[in-house]
Amino acid sequence: MSHDELMATCRKIKHVALDMDGTIYLGTQLFPFTKDFLATLTANGIGYSFLTNNPTRSLRDYVKKLQGLGIDATVDEVYTTAVATIDYIRANYPEAKRLYVVGTPSMIAEFESAGFEMAADDPKDRPDLLVVAFDTTLDYAKLCRASWWASQGLPYIATNPDRVCPTDQEIILVDCGSLCECIYHATGRRPDIVIGKPNPDMLSGIRTRYGLNADEIAMCGDRIYTDVAMARNAGALGVLVLSGETTLETAINSDPQPPITAENIAEFAELLLESRK
C-alpha cells in the first residue's frame, strides 16, 4: 500500500492483539522495547491483548509469567488456544463431557476447571473427543493412545497448527502441528479442525468484548502462516515482526506479502505514532 494508505490504515487501529513468544519476549527474555511499546499504546488510547497459540500454560500461569517479566497483565487480557478450544467444544459439542487430551498438566487443569473429565490411557475408557495440543510432557504411550482414538473416528480437535515453538535455547521445541503430522502418518487422519491462529475466531472475542470492527484491530506476531494469516482471514491488519521465527528473506518471498513487516513492535509503534500526527 502507499504511504498515505498505510497511515490511514494505522490511524483506524484501536486495539492491538499481540502474539507473545517471539513478539514481546523470546523464551524467558522480555524484549527491551516491550514495556515502552505497551506504554505508547496506552498513552494513545489504544488497547491491547495477549494472544498465543501456546496452550501449555493456564491463563493464570501466563499472567504470572507476564508479571514476572514486569508486565502488569490480567486474566481478561490473555487468550490462549486452550480457552478457544474449550469455547469451541461448548458451542459445537455441548454434550461432550469426557476428553482424551494430549497436553500439559496446566492445560488439562484448565479443561477440568471448565467442567470436562479426562479419559484414562485405556481402550475401554472411550472419550467423547480427542484434543491434541503442544505438550512438553509428551510420552510415547500418550501419543500412541491419541493415534488410536484418531483411528477410531472420534471428533478430533487440534489446538494450534504451529510446527515448532520459538525458543532462546539451543533446541527445537516440537509443537502441535508436528504432533498432528505424526498422528497423520500413523493413521491417515488429520484433525477435524485446528482452533488456533490462523483461525479467525481467535479474534472474535476481542471484537465482541470491546465492540470493535475488524479493521480497528491490528494482529502483531512473528509468523506469517499463523499471525498474519489470521489477521487476513479476520479482516484485521496483519503486522509481521522479525523478532521471532520469520526471517527477512522469508518475509520478502512470501505471497501474499504481509501488509506491514517491521523489525519489531517498536518499529510498529513508530508507524502508529506517525499516523496520529
Side-chain angles (χ1 to χ4, degrees):
M1 65 183 79
S2 69
H3 184 73
D4 287 346
E5 290 171 333
L6 176 62
M7 290 296 99
T9 298
C10 288
R11 198 175 300 119
K12 292 180 182 179
I13 299 304
K14 296 181 179 179
H15 195 97
V16 178
L18 289 160
D19 175 56
M20 296 168 71
D21 210 342
T23 301
I24 63 171
Y25 59 73
L26 187 62
T28 59
Q29 300 297 316
L30 186 72
F31 290 129
F33 42 75
T34 296
K35 290 184 182 180
D36 287 343
F37 175 78
L38 298 178
T40 296
L41 295 183
T42 300
N44 286 272
I46 302 172
Y48 58 84
S49 298
F50 304 104
L51 271 68
T52 178
N53 265 11
N54 187 334
T56 57
R57 294 182 174 91
S58 67
L59 293 179
R60 296 191 182 280
D61 286 339
Y62 271 114
V63 168
K64 184 177 180 180
K65 175 170 183 174
L66 290 169
Q67 290 176 343
L69 292 172
I71 298 175
D72 188 18
T74 66
V75 169
D76 291 338
E77 292 172 335
V78 181
Y79 196 56
T80 72
T81 51
V83 175
T85 300
I86 289 169
D87 290 344
Y88 178 84
I89 294 172
R90 283 172 167 168
N92 294 276
Y93 298 94
E95 302 303 317
K97 183 72 173 178
R98 200 161 184 80
L99 313 176
Y100 189 80
V101 177
V102 175
T104 62
S106 182
M107 175 184 150
I108 288 172
E110 194 92 60
F111 276 77
E112 289 175 334
S113 67
F116 294 103
E117 299 172 356
M118 298 298 110
D121 181 7
D122 184 340
K124 296 180 181 178
D125 189 3
R126 184 181 180 90
D128 301 313
L129 281 159
L130 168 65
V131 177
V132 175
F134 176 29
D135 186 2
T136 55
T137 63
L138 181 69
D139 60 27
Y140 186 68
K142 193 188 298 186
L143 185 59
C144 290
R145 182 58 59 200
S147 298
W148 168 252
W149 289 129
S151 74
Q152 297 305 297
L154 265 65
Y156 171 18
I157 300 172
T159 58
N160 57 294
D162 306 63
R163 297 183 289 269
V164 298
C165 179
T167 179
D168 56 352
Q169 305 299 310
E170 294 180 339
I171 194 169
I172 291 178
L173 299 178
V174 177
D175 210 325
C176 181
S178 297
L179 298 184
C180 291
E181 281 298 299
C182 180
I183 293 172
Y184 169 70
H185 281 290
T187 68
R189 177 125 184 254
R190 296 192 188 278
D192 300 327
I193 187 170
V194 181
I195 297 297
K197 300 174 287 186
N199 190 323
D201 288 342
M202 281 289 284
L203 284 179
S204 63
I206 291 176
R207 293 198 307 269
T208 301
R209 185 177 300 173
Y210 299 104
L212 298 170
N213 297 319
D215 63 358
E216 294 174 324
I217 301 171
M219 177 63 222
C220 192
D222 67 313
R223 293 176 174 179
I224 295 174
Y225 66 95
T226 56
D227 302 307
V228 176
M230 179 183 67
R232 182 174 62 251
N233 294 341
L237 173 63
V239 181
L240 175 70
V241 292
L242 303 177
S243 50
E245 178 181 313
T246 304
T247 64
L248 179 59
E249 181 181 3
T250 299
I252 290 173
N253 292 321
S254 173
D255 184 21
Q257 284 279 302
I260 295 175
T261 298
E263 183 178 354
N264 50 50
I265 52 176
E267 194 168 85
F268 178 48
E270 294 174 6
L271 288 176
L272 290 174
L273 290 174
E274 183 181 353
S275 73
R276 282 155 170 75
K277 289 182 181 177

